[in-house]
Amino acid sequence: MALRRVVSALRCGSPRLAPLSTAPATREQPAEDTGAAPGCGAAEAMRPPVPAVDFGNTREAYRSRRSWELARSLLVLRLCASPALLARHEQLLHHARRLLGQRLFDKLMKMTFYGQFVAGEDQESIWPLIQHNRAFGVGSILDYGVEEDLSLGEAERKEMESCTSAGEREGSGTSKREKQYQAHQAFGDRRDGVISARTFFYTSEAKCDSHMETFLRCIEASGGASDDGFSAIKLTSLGRPQFLLQFSDVLTRWRRFFHQMAAEQGKAGLAAMDTKLEVAVLQESVAKMGIASRTEIENWFTTETLGVSGTLDLLHWGSLVDSRTKLSKHLVVPNAQTGQLEPLLSRFTEEEELQMTRMLQRMDVLAKKASEVGVRLMVDAEQTYFQPAISRLTLEMQRKFNVEKPLIFNTYQCYLKDAYDNVTLDAELARREGWCFGAKLVRGAYMAQERARAAEIGYEDPINPTYEATNAMYHRCLSHILEELKRDTKAEVMVASHNEDTVRFTLRRMEELGLHPAGRQVYFGQLLGMCDHISFPLDSRPAPRGHWVSKQTGGESCAHCCCGAEGPGLGNDKESNCSQSPSCWVPERKGPKSQGASPPLAPPARTF
């Protein structure tokens, strides 16, 4: 019943945006495509040729920066590249604060690290930078990233309390979840080893409401900053993570059950979209296991749900964990070790049920606000023990809100071994159900933590074995999505990468597929102040792109800003297997949309 409410709670059109220019008003604008949809007949013939992009042209890359800003960038990035400094940054910052006093310390940080990576302290202070970057074709993504200043012990205590059920905490029952989806004291501080993603710990429902209100202000500010804006949210900030762990366990074990049935039918090892079960054989197997009566099983697999093929694929299988069937009460799988059928979803207490419902309600409120102001909402990826639930809940929002255009973007971490399967399955589901596919591709931010946890607890490492394998996975996923964009002119992708080779690969594949930048289906994204030499040269072509615009109201996260520059993606560093989940700071008040009366410019994009 709890699972049925999960999906049904999320099920309970803005006009197409006008094209925007891509350069300062003084620059000649490319001819606008006012004809048919991108890639179609006469409109395609009328398009100007796609200009080349030269990432080695420093004059183009830094033409928006004043001399003193270039000097600051050189100083800050050199300091951030120093292993000795990074190893001792917390102590150095602490001593500098004590020596200078808080006032002078804040001034020094604003002149250096904050000035490089943080846009401002409130809506008014970030507006000049947003306007300045827009004048050079670079847009904005607003993202809330303030973290509580918790000690290691406090973080571990909060995590253990919020990731275990009342019964588990009281000792009245042992968890039936797999160990990957249980809370572990040694990994209670999810900040450990993570330098490029912000972390939220559950404290109360009131705090989650506060986070939601801040996200709402970010969405409003993003709508005010651009006619084609983006904002980002993190689901662990919106509710109790216990629910995400439990739901992830359900989804993972349900998918594994499908593959066990596929192995019994001699279809092990096939790609996710190529694996199809014979329904008659499956019904016989499920009936023998005693999961349900034969009549009930036959009602699950009807021509209404499966068509007339007589086979069932992973998308059909996943849809059974859904309010549209009666299967949710049968969420049990056979335990190969005990030979017993076990429930996948333990009972929630009344308060836990309410907490789960409130999380879904907060997601719905944010999506509705994004729809009202025309802002795309990107749901950040998180740790693998939360991610199956996050992806499924995001998918449910996409079903509801991506009817006319891709308003909700799911994030795919390409350092994961199953990234390609996840991308292909979701793209195919969007195609079958008729909603608009929206994706953000990143490499990932939790590599060291994920590997250490898998080794310590004893489950398979979910991360690709090498940097090269992650690159190959990223490009494979990206190529598949670009092919989907060619088929569906409403689909969109955010190429989130600081990697120059990845950006070049994207531009080359776009040209091969005939995806012209004027179609505004492909966005690029980078963190503010990290890779100007990639984002600004893209202004020579009419493609959307932008920086992550960050903001923070105090001095506590300066170390986080410094570490962000060390992170993966600076150039083509071989150590950059993990990267790209932005740690940014955003405005807390809405600013006037028309302030400054600047000319309309290119939509935002980012490059991780």
Side-chain angles (χ1 to χ4, degrees), residues 332-532:
V332 295
V333 292
N335 185 313
Q337 296 178 337
T338 65
Q340 300 295 316
L341 295 175
E342 295 183 350
L344 287 180
L345 195 63
S346 60
R347 289 184 176 275
F348 288 178
T349 66
E350 183 176 349
E351 177 59 26
E352 289 168 345
E353 291 267 10
L354 289 173
Q355 291 169 352
M356 178 189 71
T357 301
R358 292 185 195 118
M359 174 187 278
L360 303 180
Q361 290 171 340
R362 293 179 189 113
M363 293 171 61
D364 195 63
V365 167
L366 294 174
K368 286 178 178 176
K369 171 58 70 173
S371 180
E372 288 172 9
V373 300
V375 170
R376 293 165 177 80
L377 194 62
M378 298 188 297
V379 180
D380 283 349
E382 305 193 42
Q383 285 88 348
T384 52
Y385 42 93
F386 295 137
Q387 193 55 41
I390 291 172
S391 291
R392 180 57 183 262
L393 297 176
T394 303
L395 185 149
E396 295 298 337
M397 286 200 295
Q398 289 177 313
R399 280 174 164 156
K400 181 175 181 178
F401 293 98
N402 286 15
V403 178
E404 298 295 329
K405 65 179 182 179
L407 184 81
I408 308 297
F409 279 52
N410 202 355
T411 300
Y412 299 91
Q413 298 165 301
C414 293
Y415 68 0
L416 297 180
K417 296 174 182 176
D418 62 359
Y420 183 74
D421 283 348
N422 293 333
V423 166
T424 55
L425 287 167
D426 288 356
E428 175 63 21
L429 185 64
R431 184 184 305 182
R432 290 185 188 181
E433 297 184 345
W435 45 270
C436 301
F437 183 68
K440 180 176 80 169
L441 281 188
V442 302
R443 281 176 169 79
Y446 307 100
M447 182 180 70
Q449 185 184 103
E450 293 278 13
R451 283 185 163 159
R453 192 176 189 270
E456 176 71 21
I457 297 172
Y459 57 87
E460 182 184 354
D461 184 354
I463 308 295
N464 288 318
T466 64
Y467 168 80
E468 289 75 18
T470 290
N471 270 354
M473 179 67 78
Y474 193 106
H475 291 177
R476 187 185 184 198
C477 292
L478 177 56
S479 188
H480 183 88
I481 291 175
L482 292 175
E483 291 170 4
E484 183 66 20
L485 266 56
K486 176 66 174 178
R487 188 200 65 81
D488 179 5
T489 57
K490 287 187 176 181
E492 296 178 356
V493 64
M494 168 67 67
V495 182
S497 176
H498 294 109
N499 189 298
E500 188 175 314
D501 288 342
T502 292
V503 177
R504 291 185 187 278
F505 174 85
T506 307
L507 299 178
R508 184 172 68 252
R509 287 293 288 145
M510 288 176 66
E511 192 156 9
E512 291 170 356
L513 293 167
L515 293 170
H516 198 279
R520 304 197 186 284
Q521 291 180 276
V522 181
Y523 294 79
F524 297 90
Q526 292 180 311
L527 293 169
L528 176 67
M530 295 283 271
C531 282
D532 286 353

Side-chain angles (χ1 to χ4, degrees), residues 564-586:
E566 173 204 26
L570 288 182
N572 296 317
D573 187 353
K574 287 285 185 178
E575 298 304 317
S576 63
N577 197 18
C578 63
S579 80
Q580 280 87 18
S581 236
S583 70
C584 313
W585 326 104
V586 247

Side-chain angles (χ1 to χ4, degrees), residues 239-297:
R240 191 181 186 88
Q242 172 204 346
F243 164 59
L244 297 177
L245 282 171
Q246 289 181 287
F247 195 20
S248 292
D249 187 40
V250 169
L251 296 170
T252 300
R253 293 173 69 177
W254 192 240
R255 179 180 286 198
R256 186 179 301 134
F257 189 26
F258 173 87
H259 288 297
Q260 290 173 353
M261 296 296 99
E264 288 188 7
Q265 295 189 19
K267 299 180 180 179
L270 297 177
M273 282 308 304
D274 296 332
T275 306
K276 293 180 171 59
L277 305 183
E278 298 295 331
V279 173
V281 177
L282 178 63
Q283 288 174 331
E284 187 68 26
S285 298
V286 173
K288 287 181 179 178
M289 293 175 188
I291 292 179
S293 70
R294 186 174 297 276
T295 301
E296 288 177 314
I297 297 169

Side-chain angles (χ1 to χ4, degrees), residues 298-361:
E298 289 174 354
N299 289 334
W300 302 345
F301 309 113
T302 64
T303 55
E304 180 182 346
T305 57
L306 304 180
V308 295
S309 66
T311 62
L312 173 145
D313 63 20
L314 192 52
L315 291 178
H316 294 131
W317 183 256
S319 70
L320 296 176
V321 187
D322 199 317
S323 62
R324 292 174 294 184
T325 73
K326 298 179 180 179
L327 186 60
S328 58
K329 67 179 181 180
H330 300 295
L331 283 175
V332 295
V333 292
N335 185 313
Q337 296 178 337
T338 65
Q340 300 295 316
L341 295 175
E342 295 183 350
L344 287 180
L345 195 63
S346 60
R347 289 184 176 275
F348 288 178
T349 66
E350 183 176 349
E351 177 59 26
E352 289 168 345
E353 291 267 10
L354 289 173
Q355 291 169 352
M356 178 189 71
T357 301
R358 292 185 195 118
M359 174 187 278
L360 303 180
Q361 290 171 340

